[in-house]
Amino acid sequence: MTALDRAAHQGTGPVGTWPATAPVVVLHRASRSAAPLRALGVIGLLLALPVVALLTLWPSHLLLRVKPRVLSGLEWLHAREMFEWLYWTRLEVLANVAMFVPLALLLAFVLGARRWWVALGLSVAATVGIELTQHFMPGRVASVQDIVANSLGAVIGVVLAVSIEGVVRAARRRSHRTLVH
């Protein structure tokens, strides 16, 4: 417990007295609980962004190089009556959704849960930018379906980030209450 926390809990401080719920203490506590998530978000984005750039902006589509192997794997699964609902087009859509879940989640961690809408807007803008860039690249195909799938992934990522940050904040408040009382 810091000196400010002790002073706020005891109702005294360097300037006189203040209530135990002083805004300074609340803001101090909120920013400290979000710090590990922000650090995780920054590190995660530094690792994830180059991978996404490589997958989405490489001139020859990387997925087409592995497509024959993936198709043979799907055929193997289908022959054993497993994942019969999964085929190449559906897998590609799911991959687009999955790619933007961690990006939006990490971005929301960096910006904080209160700015979830900024993380979502930046994620949608990124997918639109990627698809516009792909439109002008030989061998790449831009699609509205990719924008929708990536945006759905961004929504899922932002919802997860807000939920995780809420759980972390609640756990911090509970642990702080047990330490103080």
Side-chain angles (χ1 to χ4, degrees):
M1 188 182 288
T2 66
L4 261 179
D5 292 336
R6 274 193 301 280
H9 178 66
Q10 295 167 356
T12 62
V15 187
T17 60
W18 58 50
T21 58
V24 172
V25 175
V26 172
L27 290 174
H28 175 69
R29 175 80 47 223
S31 65
R32 191 167 45 166
S33 68
L37 293 177
R38 279 203 185 94
L40 176 66
V42 168
I43 292 167
L45 282 174
L46 288 173
L47 295 172
L49 286 175
V51 173
V52 170
L54 181 69
L55 288 172
T56 59
L57 300 175
W58 193 262
S60 62
H61 202 288
L62 291 176
L63 286 178
L64 292 179
R65 290 184 180 178
V66 298
K67 185 176 181 176
R69 290 185 185 135
V70 172
L71 288 175
S72 67
L74 287 173
E75 288 172 7
W76 184 86
L77 290 169
H78 293 167
R80 284 149 185 81
E81 297 180 2
M82 298 167 51
F83 298 103
E84 293 179 283
W85 56 270
L86 189 60
Y87 47 91
W88 176 257
T89 308
R90 189 170 282 171
L91 182 63
E92 205 172 14
V93 171
L94 290 173
N96 276 315
V97 171
M99 179 171 51
F100 267 76
V101 170
L103 286 180
L105 178 127
L106 294 168
L107 190 55
F109 281 170
V110 170
L111 297 173
R114 290 188 181 122
R115 292 185 196 91
W116 63 266
W117 54 276
V118 176
L120 183 60
L122 287 172
S123 298
V124 171
T127 188
V128 170
I130 288 167
E131 294 302 315
L132 282 173
T133 304
Q134 286 180 351
H135 178 72
F136 297 104
M137 294 177 70
R140 297 305 302 254
V141 177
S143 110
V144 173
Q145 181 181 3
D146 287 354
I147 293 173
V148 172
N150 292 343
S151 298
L152 176 61
V155 168
I156 293 168
V158 165
V159 167
L160 284 172
V162 170
S163 301
I164 291 168
E165 192 165 322
V167 168
V168 168
R169 286 182 192 278
R172 290 256 184 184
R173 279 193 298 271
R174 277 193 305 274
S175 69
H176 177 68
R177 268 190 244 128
T178 58
L179 289 175
V180 172
H181 298 298

